[in-house]
Amino acid sequence: MKKMKGEQQEQLFSSIKIPNNPQRYLHNFMICFLFFGSGLVIGITLSFYLNDLPFIFNLKFQEKEYSVGVKSASPILSSSKESQLLTPPTISRNSHQSSSPPPPLLPKTTQQSNFDSEEKLPIEQNLVLESNPVEIKQESGERVGLKEFLEPPKAMHDMTDEELSWRASLVPTILNYPFKQTPKVAFMYLSRGDMPLAPLWERFFAGHEGLYSIYVHTQPFYNGNAPPNSVFHNRRIPSKAVEWGKFSMIEAERRLLANALLDISNTRFVLLSEACIPLYNFTTIYKYLMESNTTFVESYDDPSTVGRGRYSRRMMPHVTINQWRKGSQWIEVDRQVAVDIITDTKYFNLFKKYCRPDCYSDEHYIPTMVTMKFWRKNANRTLTWVDWSKGGPHPMRFGRYEVTVDLLKDLRKGGKCLYNGKSTDVCHLFARKFSYLSLNRLLMFSQKAFQY
């Protein structure tokens, strides 16, 4: 059996012929390899083309079915150079607002009316109308959007504090406006409710419309409103609860600044209380503020317990004890500083966390921040006079019998100070605290003492 199996294996191996020429065998192998490789490449190419074929047919169908009179956006459908330029994709309303925000100076109601006008134009065309206020209509020659762009926003709105700060912080990069702009002073009032001295302020503002703006922050539970003929009518902004000595005071001040910044014509910003009075007529105060090259934020180093004693070492290294400042919360700033105050997060969060009620952040946050960032342009003094002669946490309040002509004239005598680098005796433009009981005597003496 073994012998027979061996013979069979010899016959099998003898039937296999090994080529006599090895080069010929290698040549045949290379031809087969190249043929197989070429077929593989052709097959892969055809598979990609067949996968894209339904997409091409779909594009051709849409081009034929929904033609809008423009060249194709796909380079596959046209060989001309013009067709190689892809048209921009259509942007939805929500996606466009997230990528390219609308102008900050238009109220929501105005923007909504623009979007719904002009027979539902595409969103890109609406943005052109809003961002280009000097566009001219062919029929009447009326400027499209100019009135809405320049018209001051309404005091009441439905924006959150975050939305408000974002819109107010947008700054135009082109400083020269394409229209005539009259700079205004924003008078911002922190009030518990009513404006008890409103008749005096109305006499002060009379005849100067277009040169000022008014914003009032009250407690949210206050539901009153000034009469329709008052300059304070409908000038309340969306407000939140404010507690004396708490950080909510800073939040209210920033809320007032943000609302005032929405009006592009507001150039100077004055923070006042409902107990403040003007010591000069409107023309004098307006000129004083508009021609000033400094801001007016009182800031000084107080080594006592009510100054440095309120500092927390946990603020280091961002704010050191040598950088800690104190000052009056009644400030006056320009637009640059106002934008920086409402956009600040570094010092704002630091004071919110470590400047607790005994710290009284309204006396330290803005004086410290402005001194650290804008010390070159700050006058380091306040424009609002107060009487701290009696001591205690609150200044003296003037009632009915304290108000006399001599007192009102003496309020102007604030000594000497610097104004645009020169010495002057006009150091305070406002004064506080005056109660409602003093209103009649203020109205009686204002013409003689203040010339209004």
Side-chain angles (χ1 to χ4, degrees), residues 38-51:
S38 301
L40 181 63
V41 171
I42 295 173
I44 294 175
T45 304
L46 289 175
S47 65
F48 279 110
Y49 178 78
L50 293 176
N51 287 335

Side-chain angles (χ1 to χ4, degrees), residues 245-247 310 312 314-315 324 350-362 364:
K246 300 291 184 65
F247 196 77
R310 298 173 179 175
S312 173
R314 289 177 290 182
M315 292 186 175
W324 183 257
L350 195 69
F351 274 77
K352 187 175 183 179
K353 186 175 182 179
Y354 298 120
C355 191
R356 295 301 181 177
D358 291 340
C359 170
Y360 302 103
S361 55
D362 56 292
H364 297 279

Side-chain angles (χ1 to χ4, degrees), residues 53-89:
L53 193 59
F55 173 72
I56 298 174
F57 287 153
N58 187 33
L59 281 178
K60 289 184 177 180
F61 172 76
Q62 292 180 359
E63 173 73 13
K64 182 178 180 180
E65 188 73 15
Y66 303 103
S67 177
V68 291
V70 296
K71 293 185 178 182
S72 171
S74 174
I76 302 177
L77 301 179
S78 176
S79 60
S80 63
K81 292 184 179 180
E82 290 80 5
S83 63
Q84 300 294 330
L85 299 175
L86 298 178
T87 57

Side-chain angles (χ1 to χ4, degrees), residues 243-413:
E243 297 183 64
W244 181 80
K246 300 291 184 65
F247 196 77
S248 56
M249 187 77 74
I250 297 296
E251 295 172 330
E253 294 175 7
R254 284 170 42 122
R255 202 171 294 122
L256 278 167
L257 282 170
N259 278 275
L261 283 168
L262 293 180
D263 188 345
I264 196 172
S265 298
N266 287 333
T267 305
R268 308 291 300 202
F269 304 80
V270 184
L271 182 63
L272 303 163
S273 75
E274 77 274 22
C276 288
I277 64 170
L279 298 180
Y280 296 87
N281 58 33
F282 183 89
T283 303
T284 302
I285 292 180
Y286 180 87
K287 183 178 180 181
Y288 192 97
L289 297 179
M290 288 300 171
E291 295 182 358
S292 173
N293 54 27
T294 63
T295 57
F296 298 93
V297 178
E298 186 180 44
S299 177
Y300 58 94
D301 182 15
D302 186 353
S304 67
T305 56
V306 295
R308 289 197 173 197
R310 298 173 179 175
Y311 172 77
S312 173
R313 294 186 179 273
R314 289 177 290 182
M315 292 186 175
M316 296 179 62
H318 304 293
V319 177
T320 65
I321 187 65
N322 294 326
Q323 296 169 327
W324 183 257
R325 292 294 183 269
K326 182 181 179 180
S328 171
Q329 74 175 111
W330 312 112
I331 63 173
E332 194 281 334
V333 296
D334 59 12
R335 195 169 186 89
Q336 179 189 10
V337 178
V339 171
D340 200 82
I341 290 175
I342 69 165
T343 57
D344 169 57
T345 56
K346 177 181 178 181
Y347 301 106
F348 179 81
N349 293 329
L350 195 69
F351 274 77
K352 187 175 183 179
K353 186 175 182 179
Y354 298 120
C355 191
R356 295 301 181 177
D358 291 340
C359 170
Y360 302 103
S361 55
D362 56 292
E363 296 182 3
H364 297 279
Y365 165 64
I366 293 182
T368 300
M369 191 203 73
V370 169
T371 300
M372 295 179 68
K373 302 184 70 173
F374 300 100
W375 64 273
R376 291 183 181 274
K377 64 180 299 183
N378 186 38
N380 289 335
R381 62 183 178 91
T382 180
L383 296 178
T384 302
W385 180 91
V386 290
D387 184 1
W388 291 100
S389 59
K390 291 188 175 181
H394 300 283
M396 178 179 177
R397 178 183 293 270
F398 297 93
R400 176 183 303 169
Y401 299 106
E402 288 81 11
V403 175
T404 63
V405 176
D406 293 335
L407 170 69
L408 298 180
K409 289 183 177 181
D410 289 341
L411 296 180
R412 293 184 172 189
K413 300 176 183 179

Side-chain angles (χ1 to χ4, degrees), residues 405-446:
V405 176
D406 293 335
L407 170 69
L408 298 180
K409 289 183 177 181
D410 289 341
L411 296 180
R412 293 184 172 189
K413 300 176 183 179
K416 294 291 183 179
C417 58
L418 291 179
Y419 176 77
N420 292 344
K422 298 180 180 180
S423 178
T424 180
D425 56 356
V426 180
C427 300
H428 297 105
L429 304 182
F430 311 95
R432 63 187 301 265
K433 282 184 162 182
F434 289 84
S435 68
Y436 174 74
L437 298 176
S438 67
L439 176 60
N440 289 335
R441 296 178 71 88
L442 287 172
L443 293 173
M444 186 185 306
F445 303 138
S446 66

Side-chain angles (χ1 to χ4, degrees), residues 179-244:
F179 45 80
K180 183 178 179 181
Q181 181 207 19
T182 301
K184 296 189 296 186
V185 178
F187 291 85
M188 308 174 299
Y189 298 87
L190 273 173
S191 175
R192 295 179 179 85
D194 289 323
M195 294 293 296
L197 305 179
L200 181 70
W201 282 101
E202 289 169 0
R203 181 183 291 184
F204 168 79
F205 287 120
H208 302 285
E209 291 75 12
L211 299 178
Y212 64 87
S213 301
I214 294 176
Y215 304 89
V216 182
H217 187 292
T218 67
Q219 295 289 14
F221 51 79
Y222 173 72
N223 295 322
N225 195 1
N229 59 345
S230 173
V231 295
F232 296 97
H233 181 69
N234 288 339
R235 297 315 302 167
R236 285 181 55 205
I237 67 170
S239 307
K240 294 184 179 180
V242 177
E243 297 183 64
W244 181 80

